[in-house]
Amino acid sequence: MILETIIIIIYSTALILIFMYALAQLNLLFNYLSAQKKQDKAPKFDFSNPDEIPLVTIQLPVYNELYVMERLLENISKIDYPKDKLEIQVLDDSTDESLETTVAHIKVLQLTGLNIQHVLRDNRNNFKAGALKEGLKIAKGEFIAIFDADFLPEPNWLKKTIPFFKDSEIGVVQTRWGHINRDYSILTKIQAFALDAHFSLEQVGRNSKGHFINFNGTAGVWRKECILDAGNWEGDTLTEDLDLSYRAQLKNWKFKYLEDVETPAELPVVISAARSQQFRWNKGGAENFRKMMWKVLKNQNISAKTKLHGLLHLLNSTMFLNVLIVGVLSIPMLYIKNEHIHLRMYFYMMSFFVISTVIFFICYWFIFKKTYGSSLKSFVQYIGMFITFFSIAMGFSLHNSIAVIEGHLGKRSDFIRTPKFNINSLKDSWKGNKYLKKNISLNVIFEGLLMLYFAFGMYSAFIVGDQGGDFGLFPFHLMLFLGFGFVFFKSITSKV
């Protein structure tokens, strides 16, 4: 009975935390919808006046980007901005043959009159954060635009973002990520689905009410003064962008999010690359919760609601741990429920996961229909996409939970870059990519075992109870079975 009580308490706590997060998402949806009715009246630089055009530095932090460097440099060279007001830094930590081809390409661009520098350093200390900090030492720009190697900003990108810095309190302007290979596979579709929700629902929902948001590591611009005032880049977490964002906002710098400015980028097409990216994001989020929690709570300049949203924001990745706990314990809970009839009313009252799922369903629909419309056909497509997304997200819960636990415990790990592919259609192949890992993680084996565990959960629905089974959790276990199965088999097959 003691074990059963412990299971019930842990299960219930995880459900309540997920429910609280869902309510926060619902609040962000209301914020998002109200923000759509407002017109932006912020002061802007007059680009017709040469004296108002500020000097901008574009930083391109790269490391062994053999497949996308040429595309990146060609794209950045087309940025439409006065040449005497623009400098480009290629912050190159590469150790492979891409270094030589990048040198040659930069020389060609320099002959066109483009102010582009190849910035090298002797070590990779602090990884991307260290490279950005090193480049900042010699950056001449008042504003620092940052693009990862797989991002392709439009030529007028700076003219759409820099004007907002006319407001001297704005420290960052962040744009929305687009997806050049959204429809490549189920994996890219669900990544795009999740990122769209983050960039519209969460970023707009928080920013419109003055709550903290984060610079997303790329496709944004910093005021150089803001970076320095906030303490500069630090490499003690895997998400240096989230870290600096919070330190800047705690010092009262304002962030501006531009939903209408899209910056196209490439999504990982192989699950091992997606796993690497997910691990870094989720562990970094937990690390920043450890680092920033008390700073947020003690700050006297922000409201209680902003503090609450800030903490939930920093705990985003921890939701994967709660989902894993609920999933794993739901099967013993199924047996406990049917062995103790007097507890059944309690279980009905604890249907928070169903309510939370409905809230997520509603929130994501508003974002989906903005892109695809609100027709019946779109809604049917959305139902399929939501179920697929939800299932695969739960399939990632073990992998991401390990990242979260390591982050909360303070276990350090290297910054592992996400392999880039330069793949846009099914005609392109990723199998020759030299940066892909060849080994299979032990975590993948456990994901296969969890797939079988949830198959047992579905079987249990037929055998528990005296009334011919209990199928209340069957859809949940089916999604977990499919999610872990997808992640397991994709992880195995992506190694061949």
Side-chain angles (χ1 to χ4, degrees), residues 21-310:
Y21 179 73
L23 290 178
Q25 294 289 295
L26 188 61
N27 179 250
L28 292 177
L29 174 62
F30 293 143
N31 294 349
Y32 173 80
L33 295 175
S34 66
Q36 305 307 299
K37 303 172 185 176
K38 297 179 181 178
Q39 290 187 336
D40 192 344
K41 299 179 180 179
K44 299 178 179 66
F45 287 119
D46 179 8
F47 268 58
S48 64
N49 180 0
D51 294 332
E52 279 210 27
I53 300 177
L55 182 60
V56 175
T57 298
I58 295 178
Q59 291 187 324
L60 307 174
V62 297
Y63 172 67
N64 293 352
E65 303 290 4
L66 181 65
Y67 301 101
V68 294
M69 275 306 298
E70 182 177 351
R71 183 181 71 179
L72 170 68
L73 294 173
E74 281 301 311
N75 181 264
I76 293 299
S77 70
K78 294 181 174 63
I79 290 288
D80 181 16
Y81 203 77
K83 286 190 175 181
D84 62 327
K85 299 282 188 176
L86 178 67
E87 72 167 354
I88 300 169
Q89 294 181 333
V90 182
L91 309 176
D92 197 349
D93 283 349
S94 297
T95 57
D96 66 356
E97 63 267 37
S98 66
L99 191 62
E100 294 180 9
T101 56
T102 299
V103 168
H105 203 134
I106 287 175
K107 287 181 179 178
V108 171
L109 292 176
Q110 287 172 338
L111 292 175
T112 68
L114 192 66
N115 182 6
I116 181 168
Q117 310 164 46
H118 199 193
V119 182
L120 307 174
R121 55 185 185 145
D122 297 330
N123 56 66
R124 285 193 72 212
N125 288 347
N126 290 328
F127 306 104
K128 181 180 176 181
L132 293 170
K133 188 173 182 178
E134 192 73 19
L136 198 68
K137 292 178 182 178
I138 57 173
K140 297 182 177 68
E142 182 183 354
F143 302 103
I144 312 295
I146 301 172
F147 298 103
D148 283 347
D150 50 338
F151 279 75
L152 303 169
E154 299 292 339
N156 62 352
W157 193 90
L158 286 177
K159 291 183 176 179
K160 287 184 176 181
T161 54
I162 295 298
F164 289 92
F165 287 102
K166 178 81 171 182
D167 182 347
S168 61
E169 294 184 339
I170 288 182
V172 172
V173 172
Q174 173 69 54
T175 65
R176 177 172 57 86
W177 294 3
H179 318 291
I180 60 176
N181 58 340
R182 173 194 294 268
D183 296 322
Y184 179 80
S185 66
I186 292 176
L187 181 63
T188 56
K189 286 178 181 178
I190 63 111
Q191 289 177 87
F193 184 85
L195 287 169
D196 287 347
H198 166 70
F199 278 99
S200 290
L201 178 67
E202 295 190 23
Q203 293 287 65
V204 175
R206 292 191 181 100
N207 194 223
S208 64
K209 296 298 182 182
H211 305 320
F212 287 8
I213 64 169
N214 60 300
F215 167 66
N216 294 104
T218 177
V221 192
W222 282 84
R223 188 187 296 271
K224 185 177 181 182
E225 179 191 353
C226 174
I227 297 176
L228 297 174
D229 182 54
N232 214 324
W233 296 102
E234 296 179 357
D236 56 346
T237 73
L238 290 180
T239 46
E240 72 294 321
D241 45 6
L242 179 60
D243 170 30
L244 186 58
S245 296
Y246 266 67
R247 284 188 279 121
Q249 288 167 108
L250 286 169
K251 298 205 75 171
N252 297 324
W253 285 98
K254 293 180 181 177
F255 280 34
K256 182 71 178 178
Y257 178 70
L258 303 180
E259 185 185 14
D260 295 332
V261 180
E262 179 182 311
T263 309
E266 178 186 316
L267 293 162
V269 297
V270 179
I271 200 164
S272 60
R275 290 172 77 100
S276 172
Q277 187 178 70
Q278 288 282 310
F279 191 90
R280 188 175 72 248
W281 287 352
N282 285 286
K283 182 170 181 175
E287 288 174 330
N288 273 288
F289 178 78
R290 290 181 78 242
K291 183 174 180 177
M292 292 294 166
M293 177 183 69
W294 290 112
K295 293 178 182 179
V296 171
L297 289 173
K298 292 177 181 179
N299 192 284
Q300 301 297 315
N301 299 318
I302 55 178
S303 68
K305 194 169 184 179
T306 295
K307 290 180 181 181
L308 178 60
H309 271 289

Side-chain angles (χ1 to χ4, degrees), residues 467-485:
Q467 306 298 322
D470 184 342
F471 295 91
L473 288 172
F474 188 87
F476 181 46
H477 291 153
L478 174 60
M479 287 195 295
L480 284 161
F481 169 76
L482 294 174
F484 278 104

Side-chain angles (χ1 to χ4, degrees), residues 136 186 199 219 323 368 420 442 451 470:
L136 198 68
I186 292 176
F199 278 99
V323 168
F368 185 88
K420 315 299 191 304
L442 183 62
M451 175 189 69
D470 184 342

